[in-house]
Coordinates of all heavy atoms in Angstrom, one line a residue:
L211 N -79.9 -72.4 133.5 CA -80.0 -71.0 133.6 C -78.6 -70.3 133.6 O -77.6 -70.8 134.1 CB -80.5 -70.5 135.0 CG -81.9 -71.0 135.3 CD1 -82.4 -70.6 136.8 CD2 -82.9 -70.4 134.3
A212 N -78.4 -69.2 132.8 CA -77.2 -68.4 132.7 C -77.3 -67.0 133.2 O -78.4 -66.4 132.8 CB -76.9 -68.5 131.3
I213 N -76.4 -66.5 133.9 CA -76.4 -65.1 134.2 C -75.6 -64.4 133.2 O -74.4 -64.6 133.0 CB -75.8 -64.9 135.6 CG1 -76.6 -65.7 136.8 CG2 -75.8 -63.5 136.1 CD1 -76.0 -65.6 138.1
V214 N -76.1 -63.3 132.7 CA -75.3 -62.4 131.8 C -75.2 -61.1 132.5 O -76.3 -60.4 132.6 CB -76.0 -62.3 130.4 CG1 -75.3 -61.4 129.5 CG2 -76.1 -63.7 129.7
G215 N -74.1 -60.7 132.9 CA -74.0 -59.4 133.6 C -73.8 -58.2 132.6 O -73.0 -58.3 131.6
G216 N -74.5 -57.1 132.9 CA -74.4 -56.0 131.9 C -73.7 -54.8 132.4 O -73.3 -54.7 133.6
A217 N -73.3 -53.9 131.6 CA -72.6 -52.7 131.9 C -73.5 -51.7 132.5 O -73.1 -50.6 132.8 CB -71.8 -52.2 130.6
D218 N -74.8 -51.9 132.3 CA -75.7 -50.8 132.8 C -76.3 -51.1 134.2 O -77.1 -50.3 134.8 CB -77.0 -50.8 131.8 CG -77.8 -52.1 131.9 OD1 -77.3 -53.2 132.4 OD2 -78.9 -52.3 131.3
G219 N -75.6 -52.1 134.8 CA -76.0 -52.2 136.2 C -77.0 -53.3 136.5 O -77.6 -53.3 137.6
T220 N -77.4 -54.1 135.5 CA -78.5 -55.2 135.6 C -77.9 -56.4 135.0 O -77.0 -56.3 134.3 CB -79.6 -54.8 134.9 OG1 -79.5 -54.7 133.6 CG2 -80.3 -53.6 135.5
A221 N -78.4 -57.6 135.6 CA -78.0 -58.9 135.1 C -79.2 -59.6 134.6 O -80.3 -59.5 135.3 CB -77.2 -59.7 136.1
S222 N -79.1 -60.2 133.5 CA -80.3 -61.0 132.9 C -80.1 -62.5 133.4 O -79.0 -63.0 133.1 CB -80.4 -60.8 131.5 OG -80.7 -59.5 131.1
V223 N -81.0 -63.2 133.8 CA -80.9 -64.6 134.0 C -81.7 -65.2 132.8 O -83.0 -65.1 132.6 CB -81.7 -65.0 135.3 CG1 -81.7 -66.5 135.5 CG2 -81.0 -64.4 136.5
Y224 N -80.9 -66.0 132.0 CA -81.4 -66.4 130.8 C -81.7 -67.9 130.8 O -80.8 -68.7 131.1 CB -80.4 -66.1 129.6 CG -80.8 -66.6 128.3 CD1 -81.7 -66.0 127.5 CD2 -80.1 -67.8 127.6 CE1 -82.1 -66.5 126.2 CE2 -80.3 -68.3 126.4 CZ -81.3 -67.6 125.8 OH -81.7 -68.0 124.4
S225 N -82.8 -68.4 130.5 CA -83.2 -69.8 130.4 C -82.7 -70.3 129.1 O -83.2 -69.9 128.0 CB -84.7 -70.0 130.6 OG -85.1 -71.4 130.3
V226 N -81.8 -71.2 129.1 CA -81.2 -71.9 127.8 C -82.2 -72.7 127.1 O -82.4 -72.5 125.9 CB -80.0 -72.7 128.2 CG1 -79.4 -73.3 126.8 CG2 -78.9 -71.8 128.9
S227 N -83.0 -73.4 127.8 CA -84.0 -74.3 127.2 C -85.3 -73.5 126.7 O -85.8 -73.7 125.6 CB -84.6 -75.3 128.2 OG -85.1 -74.8 129.4
Q228 N -85.7 -72.4 127.4 CA -86.8 -71.6 127.0 C -86.4 -70.4 126.1 O -87.2 -69.9 125.5 CB -87.5 -71.1 128.3 CG -87.9 -72.0 129.3 CD -88.6 -71.4 130.5 OE1 -89.1 -70.2 130.4 NE2 -88.7 -72.2 131.5
K229 N -85.1 -70.3 126.1 CA -84.6 -69.2 125.1 C -85.2 -67.9 125.3 O -85.5 -67.2 124.4 CB -84.8 -69.6 123.5 CG -84.4 -71.0 123.2 CD -84.6 -71.3 121.7 CE -84.0 -72.7 121.4 NZ -84.4 -73.0 120.0
Q230 N -85.3 -67.5 126.7 CA -85.7 -66.2 127.0 C -85.3 -65.9 128.5 O -84.9 -66.7 129.2 CB -87.4 -66.3 127.1 CG -87.9 -67.2 128.1 CD -89.3 -67.2 128.1 OE1 -90.1 -66.6 127.2 NE2 -90.0 -67.7 129.0
V231 N -85.3 -64.5 128.6 CA -84.9 -64.0 130.0 C -86.1 -64.2 130.9 O -87.2 -63.8 130.7 CB -84.5 -62.4 129.9 CG1 -84.2 -61.9 131.3 CG2 -83.4 -62.2 128.9
V232 N -85.7 -64.8 132.1 CA -86.7 -65.1 133.1 C -86.6 -64.2 134.3 O -87.6 -64.2 135.1 CB -86.6 -66.7 133.6 CG1 -86.9 -67.6 132.4 CG2 -85.2 -66.9 134.1
Q233 N -85.5 -63.6 134.5 CA -85.3 -62.7 135.7 C -84.4 -61.5 135.3 O -83.5 -61.8 134.5 CB -84.8 -63.4 136.9 CG -85.8 -64.4 137.5 CD -85.1 -65.2 138.7 OE1 -84.0 -65.0 138.9 NE2 -85.8 -66.1 139.2
V234 N -84.5 -60.4 135.8 CA -83.6 -59.3 135.7 C -83.2 -59.0 137.1 O -84.0 -58.6 137.9 CB -84.1 -58.1 135.0 CG1 -83.2 -57.0 135.0 CG2 -84.6 -58.5 133.5
L235 N -81.8 -59.0 137.4 CA -81.3 -58.7 138.7 C -80.6 -57.4 138.7 O -79.7 -57.1 138.0 CB -80.4 -59.8 139.1 CG -80.8 -61.2 139.0 CD1 -79.8 -62.2 139.3 CD2 -82.1 -61.6 139.8
P236 N -81.1 -56.5 139.6 CA -80.4 -55.1 139.7 C -79.2 -55.1 140.6 O -79.0 -55.8 141.7 CB -81.4 -54.4 140.3 CG -82.2 -55.2 141.2 CD -82.1 -56.6 140.5
A237 N -78.1 -54.5 140.1 CA -76.9 -54.3 140.9 C -76.7 -52.8 141.0 O -77.5 -52.0 140.6 CB -75.7 -54.8 140.1
S238 N -75.6 -52.3 141.8 CA -75.4 -51.0 142.0 C -74.5 -50.4 141.0 O -74.1 -49.3 141.3 CB -74.9 -50.8 143.4 OG -73.6 -51.6 143.5
G239 N -74.0 -51.1 140.0 CA -73.1 -50.5 139.0 C -72.8 -51.5 138.1 O -73.3 -52.7 138.0
P240 N -72.0 -51.2 137.0 CA -71.6 -52.2 136.0 C -71.1 -53.6 136.7 O -70.3 -53.5 137.5 CB -70.4 -51.5 135.2 CG -70.7 -50.1 135.4 CD -71.3 -50.0 136.8
I241 N -71.6 -54.7 136.0 CA -71.3 -56.0 136.7 C -70.0 -56.5 136.2 O -69.7 -56.4 135.0 CB -72.5 -57.0 136.4 CG1 -73.7 -56.5 137.0 CG2 -72.1 -58.4 136.9 CD1 -75.0 -57.2 136.6
T242 N -69.2 -56.9 137.1 CA -67.9 -57.4 136.9 C -67.7 -58.9 137.0 O -66.8 -59.5 136.2 CB -66.8 -56.8 137.8 OG1 -67.1 -57.1 139.1 CG2 -66.8 -55.2 137.6
S243 N -68.5 -59.6 137.7 CA -68.4 -61.0 137.7 C -69.7 -61.6 138.4 O -70.5 -60.8 138.9 CB -67.3 -61.4 138.8 OG -67.1 -62.8 138.8
A244 N -70.0 -62.9 138.1 CA -71.2 -63.5 138.6 C -70.9 -65.0 138.7 O -70.0 -65.6 138.2 CB -72.3 -63.4 137.7
A245 N -71.7 -65.6 139.6 CA -71.5 -67.0 139.9 C -72.9 -67.5 140.5 O -73.7 -66.8 141.0 CB -70.3 -67.3 140.9

Side-chain angles (χ1 to χ4, degrees):
L211 298 177
I213 301 175
V214 178
D218 62 349
T220 62
S222 297
V223 178
Y224 177 76
S225 173
V226 178
S227 62
Q228 299 176 23
K229 304 178 183 178
Q230 65 179 8
V231 174
V232 294
Q233 294 172 359
V234 176
L235 310 178
S238 57
I241 295 172
T242 56
S243 183

